[in-house]
Amino acid sequence: MATRIAPSLLAADFGNLERDCKMVNDSQADWFHIDIMDGVFVPNISFGMPVLKAIGVHAKKPLDVHLMIVDPDRYIATFAALNARVLTVHYEACIHLHRTIQSIKQHKMLAGVALNPHTPVALLAPLLKDLDLVCLMSVNPGFGGQSFIEETYQKVTELKEMIVAQGASTQIEIDGGVTDQNAAQLVACGADVLVAGSHVFKATNPKAAIAKLKAIG
Ligand code: DX5
Ligand code: ZN
């Protein structure tokens, strides 16, 4: 299957959110990537439920919601009601990750787990078959516009091997510093979904930037 492209609205112009949502609707992008940050799990606060609700009014493609918050269990029902298609929580933020994943599925969303750059993929072996998606952070979460961490390629390769060995159907998503310079190698290593914020929204022609990423995959 062709690689999915998920533009991260964190890099959108919040004064023109409707315009930027329409650009994504009209592009070859597959998902809207939505970054929710609480200022505790990560040293930044992005936006919360009212803004997500506004995005949901305009977005015509699935919402891929990435929670960078502590104790995400408190809000699973809320994000389901806000029409999240994929709900991704951080491994490092969940004490009872298995329970959290089951709860996301009970709320009829696809379940994702994100790993910080320092967290080994092997930790996910016991619950890989339960996961619809693993998001490998290729920057330290909290901010857009950071440089891609090169060690990510090795993690993608390892994770892909685990998925194949277990006969799982988990998708691998890469988040942080993705550009047309690293996309091909990420896909070659096994990436299924590429998140791109700055590379898309700071481009002179965002739709063309999305099309180029899509063509690489
Ligand atoms: C970072 C976020 C990313 C971010 C990516 O914590 O999870 O989704 O928006 O932005 P770029 O593509 O600019 O690194
Ligand atoms: Zn993200």
Side-chain angles (χ1 to χ4, degrees):
M1 195 183 59
T3 308
R4 289 197 167 103
I5 307 300
S8 170
L9 287 189
L10 188 66
D13 177 354
F14 292 159
N16 288 289
L17 213 39
E18 179 176 356
R19 180 200 67 191
D20 284 359
C21 286
K22 284 185 172 157
M23 181 282 291
V24 176
N25 287 339
D26 295 341
S27 76
Q28 292 184 49
D30 297 273
W31 291 347
F32 283 79
H33 186 81
I34 313 287
D35 291 302
I36 308 286
M37 305 177 182
D38 66 356
V40 179
F41 180 69
V42 287
N44 192 16
I45 298 174
S46 55
F47 50 81
M49 285 66 169
V51 174
L52 178 52
K53 197 172 174 189
I55 292 168
V57 169
H58 302 293
K60 292 191 166 53
K61 295 178 180 179
L63 304 178
D64 169 36
V65 178
H66 176 195
L67 299 184
M68 284 159 275
I69 66 175
V70 296
D71 200 4
D73 302 65
R74 294 170 295 165
Y75 298 111
I76 290 172
T78 307
F79 285 106
L82 286 165
N83 214 19
R85 174 79 60 91
V86 184
L87 193 64
T88 296
V89 296
H90 263 264
Y91 178 91
E92 303 83 4
C94 296
I95 298 171
H96 301 289
L97 184 57
H98 184 274
R99 180 185 293 153
T100 304
I101 294 305
Q102 305 314 317
S103 174
I104 293 173
K105 293 181 153 191
Q106 278 156 13
H107 286 85
K108 311 276 184 239
M109 294 176 286
L110 298 177
V113 170
L115 299 183
N116 280 340
H118 74 275
T119 305
V121 293
L123 291 171
L124 290 178
L127 77 170
L128 202 50
K129 278 194 162 165
D130 283 336
L131 300 180
D132 297 297
L133 179 144
V134 172
C135 174
L136 294 179
M137 293 307 303
S138 37
V139 298
N140 286 294
F143 302 92
Q146 304 179 79
S147 302
F148 179 82
I149 296 173
E150 298 282 325
E151 284 73 18
T152 309
Y153 296 123
Q154 180 57 29
K155 290 180 80 174
V156 183
T157 304
E158 271 176 49
L159 180 58
K160 187 69 180 179
E161 281 170 10
M162 282 168 60
I163 291 168
V164 171
Q166 291 199 22
S169 50
T170 318
Q171 293 186 51
I172 302 176
E173 179 178 71
I174 312 299
D175 187 5
V178 172
T179 69
D180 56 6
Q181 298 302 299
N182 50 31
Q185 194 171 342
L186 286 167
V187 171
C189 292
D192 303 293
V193 186
L194 300 176
V195 174
S198 320
H199 181 70
V200 165
F201 287 99
K202 309 292 179 231
T204 330
N205 185 340
K207 258 192 257 180
I210 293 169
K212 192 167 179 199
L213 287 177
K214 190 75 184 171
I216 289 170

